[in-house]
C-alpha cells in the first residue's frame, strides 16, 4: 500500500535532521491510535525490522547550514508498506491525528490530506527503479562505533549492498527461497552520493537508478518495502521507472 500525506508546517524552517522528525510523528500517531501495535513495532523486540519505508518531497526548498527553508510550509510524506495491517493502521492513525498540531523543534506540523495511491504492477523479471529517498548501504556489525556507509559507485559498496539485500530478503521470505536470491542481478545505471543528517551525524546515501533482475515476487516486495538499510527511517523508497 502506498500513500501520500500532505503535512503543513507552522513556519517555513525545518531542521536538517528531518527524517528523525517525521519518524517521531509516525511513532506518535501509531501510539495514539493503537498502543499495542506501537509496542509491537518499537518496544517488544529489539531492532525489529519494520515493514515500511518513506520519503519526503519539500517542493521549492532551500538547504541551509543546519536548517531547510520551505517557503510553501508544506511537505509531502510518501509512505509505502508491504504489510496490509501496517498500511491500514498507518492510514487510520493519520486520519485520527489530522488537523492536530504536533510540536517539533521551533515549529509544529499538522496532517492535512491523506491519499491512497495506485500501485504499479510488475509482470516481468526485470525492473528499473529510481530512488525516492536515498539508499543506505550500511556495514553494521552490532557496534555503532564500527558502522560504515558505502557508495554504489565502487565494487566494495556494491558487494555490501548485495549482502544487505540478501539479508533483507532472507528475513522476509526465509531460507527456502535462497536459490531465487542467488539469481538476483543488480546494475547501477546511475548514482549520486549525498550526505544526509540523521540523528546528529552525517551519513552517506545513494540517489540512484537501478536495474534489478529477479523473480517478480521479489521485485514487487522491494517496490513496496524499499531497498537497503534503515528503510523505516526514511531511506530506500523506490518507484518504478
Amino acid at each position: 500500500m502506498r500513500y501520500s500525506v500532505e503535512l503543513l508546517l507552522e513556519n517555513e524552517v525545518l531542521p536538517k535532521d528531518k527524517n528523525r522528525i517525521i519518524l517521531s510523528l509516525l511513532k506518535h500517531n501509531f501510539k495514539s491510535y493503537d498502543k499495542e501495535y506501537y509496542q509491537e513495532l518499537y518496544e517488544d523486540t529489539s531492532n525489529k525490522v519494520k515493514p515500511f519505508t518513506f520519503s519526503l518531497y519539500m517542493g521549492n526548498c532551500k538547504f541551509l547550514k543546519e536548517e531547510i527553508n520551505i517557503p510553501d510550509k508544506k511537505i509531502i510524506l510518501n509512505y509505502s508498506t508491504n504489510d496490509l495491517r501496517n498500511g491500514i493502521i498507518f492510514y487510520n492513525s493519520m486520519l485520527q491525528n489530522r488537523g492536530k498540531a504536533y510540536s517539533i523543534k521551533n515549529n509544529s506540523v499538522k496532517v492535512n490530506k491523506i491519499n491512497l495511491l495506485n500501485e504499479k504492477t510488475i509482470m516481468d523479471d526485470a525492473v528499473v527503479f529510481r530512488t525516492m529517498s536515498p539508499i543506505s548501504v550500511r556495514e553494521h556489525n552490532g557496534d555503532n562505533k564500527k558502522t560504515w556507509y558505502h557508495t554504489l559507485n565502487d565494487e566494495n559498496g556494491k558487494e555490501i549492498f548485495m549482502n544487505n539485500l540478501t539479508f533483507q530478503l532472507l528475513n522476509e521470505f526465509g531460507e527456502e527461497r535462497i536459490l531465487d536470491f542467488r539469481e538476483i542481478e543488480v546494475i547501477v545505471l546511475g548514482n549520486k552520493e549525498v550526505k544526509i543528517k540523521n540523528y546528529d551525524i552525517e551519513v552517506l546515501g545513494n540517489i540512484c537508478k537501478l536495474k534489478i533482475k529477479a523473480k517478480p515476487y521479489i521485485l514487487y516486495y522491494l517496490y513496496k518495502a524499499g531497498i537497503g538499510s534503515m528503510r523505516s527511517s526514511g531511506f530506500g523508497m523506490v518507484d518504478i521507472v
Side-chain angles (χ1 to χ4, degrees), residues 28-30 32-33 92-101 110-111:
H28 169 268
N29 287 0
F30 280 138
S32 67
Y33 177 72
N92 289 337
S93 72
M94 286 287 164
L95 202 60
Q96 178 178 278
N97 286 283
R98 186 167 62 178
K100 298 177 182 176
K110 289 180 184 176
V111 174

Side-chain angles (χ1 to χ4, degrees), residues 175-184 215 217-218:
E175 288 279 351
E176 60 269 27
R177 303 286 182 92
I178 189 68
L179 294 179
D180 290 346
F181 309 154
R182 288 176 179 162
E183 294 177 350
I184 295 173
K215 294 279 193 299
Y217 79 90
I218 294 174

Side-chain angles (χ1 to χ4, degrees), residues 17 64 74 126-127 146 159 167 185 187 208 210 215 218:
D17 207 345
L64 308 175
K74 184 168 70 177
V127 164
K146 297 180 180 177
E159 183 178 341
F167 178 82
E185 295 180 39
I187 302 168
C208 56
L210 303 174
K215 294 279 193 299
I218 294 174

Side-chain angles (χ1 to χ4, degrees), residues 188-205:
V188 180
L189 300 176
N191 182 50
K192 178 183 176 184
E193 297 174 15
V194 291
K195 295 286 183 66
I196 306 105
K197 192 164 187 179
N198 191 59
Y199 286 82
D200 295 327
I201 63 169
E202 281 200 336
V203 302
L204 177 66

Side-chain angles (χ1 to χ4, degrees), residues 10 25 28 97-104 108-111:
E10 183 181 357
L25 173 68
H28 169 268
N97 286 283
R98 186 167 62 178
K100 298 177 182 176
Y102 180 70
S103 294
I104 59 177
S108 68
V109 60
K110 289 180 184 176
V111 174

Side-chain angles (χ1 to χ4, degrees), residues 8 11 26 49 62 65 73 129 144 175 178 181 209:
L8 301 181
N11 63 62
L26 293 179
V49 175
K62 185 176 181 180
K65 187 175 181 181
K73 297 188 287 186
F129 292 111
N144 288 334
E175 288 279 351
I178 189 68
F181 309 154
K209 192 182 286 186

